[in-house]
Amino acid sequence: MSAFSTTSFPSFRKVLLFSAALRVALILYSEWHDARSLVKYTDVDYRVFTDAAWFLSNPGPGAANRAEGPLKELFGVKLDFGNPYTRETYRYTPLLAWLLTPNGWLHPSFGKYIFAACDLLNGWLIYKILLQYVLPKIVEQPKATSNIKPASNASSGTKAGKVNPYVLEKRQSLATIYSAVHLLNPLVFSISTRGSSESILSLFVLATLYAAMKGRWNLAAMFLGLSTHWKIYPLVYGVGTLGAIAAGSSGHARGLCAIVSNLVTRKTIQFTALSAVTFVLLGAGCYAIWGYPFLYESYIYHLRRLDHRHNFSPYFYLTYLTYPSSDTSVVEEPVTLLSQLLHSPLTSFVPQMGLSLGLGLLFGRTKEDLPFAWFLQTVAFVVFNKVCTSQYFLWYLLLLPLLLPRLSMSRWKAMGCIVVWAAAQGLWLSEAYRLEFLGENVYFQLWIRGLIYVVGNCWVLVEIMKAYN
């Protein structure tokens, strides 16, 4: 905490306004750049979103580009919806395409402004969580003013009790600094202004966390169901959240067996049921309108996905070597049980889900520990995912500002973690450049650097776990 000077740092309002202006400027620049350059600033996914939105809002004649869900056959309802999955490689919920339909009739960059606005909302939620639930545990009242009663609800001190003005100002300054780690992160604002939709999911995840920190478990359950509908990975947060609910009703449990037994309570069952119902209702509604294409592209495809293109995943090289060949002259080897296990995309889920769920079970012990538990779960999920790209780093970087105040780490160790995390990526990217732009056959060397990336990230994660207070 003492490493930061909070006296001259701008207010949160100024940081938020600057962040908004920066994103607007980048979106305007993207329009200018894309009109003049063959190498586009806008991400290819944004074109996919835009095309899917157009197909959704412009159903074709007859059965062409038209929603063909079971709702039409069961009740004879005329579904005047197009099919977003007419656009190849669109593998997201139809709700995203529906949200971006103004791209076609209002402005092509409408979606980018939505993503940038979600970025700002994420920064605001991070600021609120820090100010109300994280920093009051860190920045305590000075002994000279111990006769002033602190806020009993762990808030910023404006609703219950009184807080020394100096302490409140320091909390606000620190909350601004840590939230700026998200708002002014180049990876965050560049990805959203290029047209990635990750900020929407991040908003749902932070809304889930904020509701959980407030103890509004029913609202948190519905947001978790919505998050899981949008993209499946937030499912792992349910385990850590159940631990926090159980701890609030039955106290701290010691030992793995006690932890597991405490997870089954009326409140945890209610939370699980409400979250599952939200997920199922959203999915059932989309399936009723768009049918099997929704189910396959949004969920089944990601379970069966085999991506042999180079990425950070430690599984990429094995997938590349065993990817089905389009050459009919190649004689395939006899299929054995071992080869089936190695080739199955489901095999990678074992270490990934084992680590993610296990970390949530062990560290999701209280509401205050949820950001830490979710961070650990997300890093394990991303690092050991069968496909891993830089875009996935946003999933755990979103939670990092909520951890920083509770990390007791020397400056040298903190610098070492940053260097190792960045160097592991730089080492991989330098080899990926040789493969992608120079056309050199460096698949094996790239895989070795991918393993170094995994080891480096695991070392950083262990150091964060040791530093967490």
Side-chain angles (χ1 to χ4, degrees), residues 197-213:
S197 65
E198 293 298 335
S199 60
I200 297 180
L201 177 62
S202 298
L203 178 60
F204 296 152
V205 169
L206 284 177
T208 306
L209 179 61
Y210 189 44
M213 299 287 277

Side-chain angles (χ1 to χ4, degrees), residues 256-265:
L256 184 60
C257 294
I259 294 173
V260 174
S261 64
N262 279 355
L263 289 180
V264 184
T265 66

Side-chain angles (χ1 to χ4, degrees), residues 31-98:
E31 297 173 0
W32 178 89
H33 177 95
D34 290 351
R36 291 165 174 80
S37 176
L38 292 176
V39 180
K40 306 301 182 183
Y41 178 89
T42 300
D43 191 272
V44 66
D45 282 346
Y46 189 71
R47 174 58 64 86
V48 173
F49 301 156
T50 301
D51 290 349
W54 187 91
F55 282 119
L56 177 64
S57 56
N58 293 275
N65 183 39
R66 185 171 293 276
E68 294 292 335
L71 184 64
K72 177 179 180 180
E73 300 189 8
L74 287 176
F75 303 103
V77 179
K78 182 181 179 181
L79 299 177
D80 196 23
F81 294 102
N83 181 10
Y85 303 106
T86 301
R87 188 5 167 139
E88 293 183 6
T89 72
Y90 181 76
R91 312 192 192 280
Y92 309 88
T93 170
L95 300 183
L96 175 59
W98 174 80

Side-chain angles (χ1 to χ4, degrees), residues 362-418:
L362 292 175
F363 294 102
R365 309 294 289 278
T366 66
K367 290 188 296 183
E368 290 76 12
D369 291 326
L370 282 181
F372 176 62
W374 287 15
F375 177 84
L376 299 182
Q377 289 182 281
T378 312
V379 173
F381 189 95
V382 169
V383 171
F384 291 95
N385 197 26
K386 59 185 176 181
V387 178
C388 179
T389 65
S390 299
Q391 188 171 297
Y392 296 175
F393 301 164
L394 292 181
W395 297 354
Y396 60 78
L397 290 178
L398 175 73
L399 301 168
L400 183 61
L402 303 175
L403 299 187
L404 292 177
R406 300 189 68 172
L407 297 183
S408 298
M409 186 181 292
S410 68
R411 292 185 182 182
W412 287 109
K413 181 59 69 67
M415 185 63 66
C417 289
I418 295 173

Side-chain angles (χ1 to χ4, degrees), residues 176-244:
T176 300
I177 291 172
Y178 290 122
S179 58
V181 172
H182 171 80
L183 289 169
L184 303 181
N185 186 332
L187 187 64
V188 173
F189 62 68
S190 63
I191 284 182
S192 62
T193 56
R194 292 185 66 219
S196 171
S197 65
E198 293 298 335
S199 60
I200 297 180
L201 177 62
S202 298
L203 178 60
F204 296 152
V205 169
L206 284 177
T208 306
L209 179 61
Y210 189 44
M213 299 287 277
K214 292 173 72 72
R216 300 183 61 180
W217 298 115
N218 290 341
L219 183 61
M222 289 188 287
F223 272 122
L224 182 61
L226 173 60
S227 302
T228 308
H229 168 81
W230 205 266
K231 193 165 285 187
I232 202 69
Y233 87 87
L235 174 69
V236 301
Y237 298 150
V239 172
T241 308
L242 292 179

